[in-house]
Amino acid sequence: MKVVLFCGGRGTRMRSELPGGDLPKPMQLVGPRPLLWHVMRYYAHFGHRDFLLCLGYGANSIKEFFLNYQETDSNDFVLNGGRVEPLSTDISDWSITFADTGLDTPIGERLRRVRPHLEGEEMFLAHYADVLCDVPLSDVIDRFSAADAGASMLVVPPGNTFHCVDLAEGGLVGGITPISQMPLWVNGGFFVLRQEIFEHIPEGGDLVAHGCTELAKRGRLLAYPYRGYWRPTDTVNQRLELDRAWARGERPWALWEAAPC
């Protein structure tokens, strides 16, 4: 299945905290490789290696990374007579389409602009390129394939540290509950989509606010609730947390390092 990756946003919350602030969020490093690479390796682990990158801000840095890709940065190799012989490769069997979808384009419109590249695809995958997760993708796809739905959305518990306060009569507090333990779910940024989604995204529209919301009204949106490992990367601190976890060998999202899928 084709994998659409939305990697064209400006990522202002992260860039504003960085010296220079020019590197787009998907190109921020986690271990030896950019965040985008980790997302793509996750999908490749499940056999989905046909990628469609929706580019915008920082498009050139993403293009240059893959055009000048160095397998030796993350793979062992032999230097034989001055010739580099990698012992394994990351991307040799990947197909990557680079599509310019504009600088300030909403995600739904980015999807609309790459629709010609999805012609003939009954189902396809889509993903925010700043989220890492260890969700069993094959199960997500199987559930969606068996359902009568136009789209599937991964939903996860709220991940922040706020607490919900239950107010009783007279202003007394009846209880305090971490928001992560409330019966609440938020958009996890992983989607399985059918062509039907394009019927509900207007020009300049959003994937969730327009496409998914309209499908939900029609009873055509499937949720995949997941309480396992899921991490967004909206800020420098979140990226640094992932980088430190990688250095410690704590990499739940790196399923490719375990047994083959």
Side-chain angles (χ1 to χ4, degrees):
M1 296 172 66
K2 288 199 178 215
V3 183
V4 180
L5 297 177
F6 304 111
C7 45
R10 292 182 181 271
T12 52
R13 276 183 292 178
M14 177 177 286
R15 286 173 43 236
S16 63
E17 301 176 49
L18 290 170
D22 293 329
L23 204 61
K25 183 163 43 171
M27 296 307 295
Q28 299 294 326
L29 291 179
V30 174
R33 295 294 195 189
L35 181 62
L36 177 61
W37 176 90
H38 291 266
V39 173
M40 296 170 79
R41 280 300 305 267
Y42 165 83
Y43 279 101
H45 171 72
F46 289 96
H48 306 287
R49 302 181 178 94
D50 191 351
F51 298 100
L52 175 51
L53 305 187
C54 297
L55 303 176
Y57 178 83
N60 284 341
S61 65
I62 295 174
K63 293 175 184 177
E64 289 171 5
F65 171 74
F66 287 105
L67 288 172
N68 302 293
Y69 191 82
Q70 296 293 325
E71 291 281 7
T72 54
D73 285 355
S74 54
N75 292 292
D76 294 338
F77 62 95
V78 175
L79 185 62
N80 187 359
R83 181 177 179 179
V84 176
E85 301 174 357
L87 298 179
S88 59
T89 65
D90 297 327
I91 71 170
S92 60
D93 57 351
W94 293 5
S95 172
I96 308 174
T97 301
F98 299 83
D100 184 358
T101 56
L103 284 178
D104 298 304
T105 313
I107 286 178
E109 179 61 24
R110 291 190 191 279
L111 183 61
R112 280 168 43 90
R113 293 184 184 184
V114 299
R115 186 175 185 179
H117 298 291
L118 297 166
E119 186 175 349
E121 298 288 321
E122 178 189 356
M123 298 191 306
F124 56 94
L125 305 166
H127 184 104
Y128 299 160
D130 59 356
V131 176
L132 298 180
C133 188
D134 67 352
V135 64
L137 183 60
S138 296
D139 186 53
V140 176
I141 295 171
D142 289 345
R143 289 193 192 185
F144 180 65
S145 298
D148 182 20
S152 173
M153 171 193 291
L154 182 78
V155 295
V156 298
N160 57 43
T161 58
F162 292 121
H163 290 74
C164 291
V165 179
D166 180 22
L167 293 181
E169 188 175 351
L172 294 174
V173 175
I176 299 177
T177 306
I179 194 170
S180 61
Q181 295 179 17
M182 295 291 290
L184 300 172
W185 298 92
V186 299
N187 170 22
F190 283 63
F191 304 88
V192 190
L193 305 171
R194 288 191 167 96
Q195 292 288 329
E196 181 181 348
I197 190 68
F198 291 108
E199 300 173 14
H200 307 297
I201 303 176
E203 184 176 351
D206 183 70
L207 172 59
V208 175
H210 295 102
C212 291
T213 298
E214 186 59 33
L215 284 173
K217 292 178 183 177
R218 297 166 182 254
R220 302 279 301 157
L221 179 64
L222 181 70
Y224 189 98
Y226 190 63
R227 292 188 177 275
Y229 184 88
W230 179 86
R231 294 291 186 278
T233 317
D234 292 322
T235 66
V236 170
N237 284 339
Q238 288 174 330
R239 199 275 301 172
L240 289 174
E241 179 185 340
L242 288 172
D243 194 47
R244 295 184 189 113
W246 178 275
R248 294 192 302 266
E250 299 171 6
R251 313 164 187 173
W253 70 89
L255 302 176
W256 58 89
E257 294 187 337
C261 179

